Amino acid sequence: MTSTLLIVQFVLAIIITITILLQKSSSIGLGAYSGTNDSLFGAKGPGNFLTKATMVLGLLFVINTITLGYLYNQNKLESAIDNVKTDTLIPATPKETTAPAAPTAPVVPAEPTSK
């Protein structure tokens, strides 16, 4: 789930960047909303399609960021060891095996005694 949302985050960032770069630039740059004679949205209302698309994409970006933060915080308490299946790694009961018999010493023929 988090990997999918992370991919969506990158795609949203790229699309937001493209929509911002496609918008009409003004000669005064960022000062357009800070004290000129224009109102915040201008005389025509809240703008065209690109402005609305940028606002929607920005909202989706923020929601996705908050969701990713929440999910990564939930995963912080888990460990990779919690997901390991111990049934396949360690047998539940050890197999009882009998030890092989100790090897016997080879029989050496006795030396003949001569009298």
Side-chain angles (χ1 to χ4, degrees):
M1 176 78 178
T2 55
S3 60
T4 304
L5 289 177
L6 190 61
I7 292 170
V8 169
Q9 187 80 357
F10 284 123
V11 170
L12 281 173
I14 292 169
I15 293 173
I16 287 173
T17 304
I18 291 171
T19 56
I20 289 172
L21 290 175
L22 287 176
Q23 290 181 16
K24 178 182 170 185
S25 66
S26 62
S27 62
I28 53 177
L30 293 175
Y33 301 119
S34 64
T36 61
N37 291 334
D38 296 334
S39 65
L40 180 62
F41 294 115
K44 295 182 180 178
N48 59 5
F49 172 75
L50 287 176
T51 305
K52 292 177 186 177
T54 304
M55 293 179 76
V56 169
L57 289 171
L59 180 66
L60 290 174
F61 186 83
V62 169
I63 290 171
N64 195 29
T65 303
I66 291 170
T67 306
L68 274 172
Y70 176 77
L71 291 176
Y72 276 123
N73 193 24
Q74 293 296 321
N75 291 340
K76 183 176 71 171
L77 301 176
E78 295 179 8
S79 174
I81 301 299
D82 295 338
N83 298 330
V84 174
K85 295 181 181 179
T86 57
D87 300 347
T88 59
L89 298 177
I90 303 170
T93 57
K95 296 179 182 177
E96 293 184 25
T97 58
T98 57
T104 58
V107 178
V108 178
E111 291 183 19
T113 57
S114 57
K115 287 189 182 186

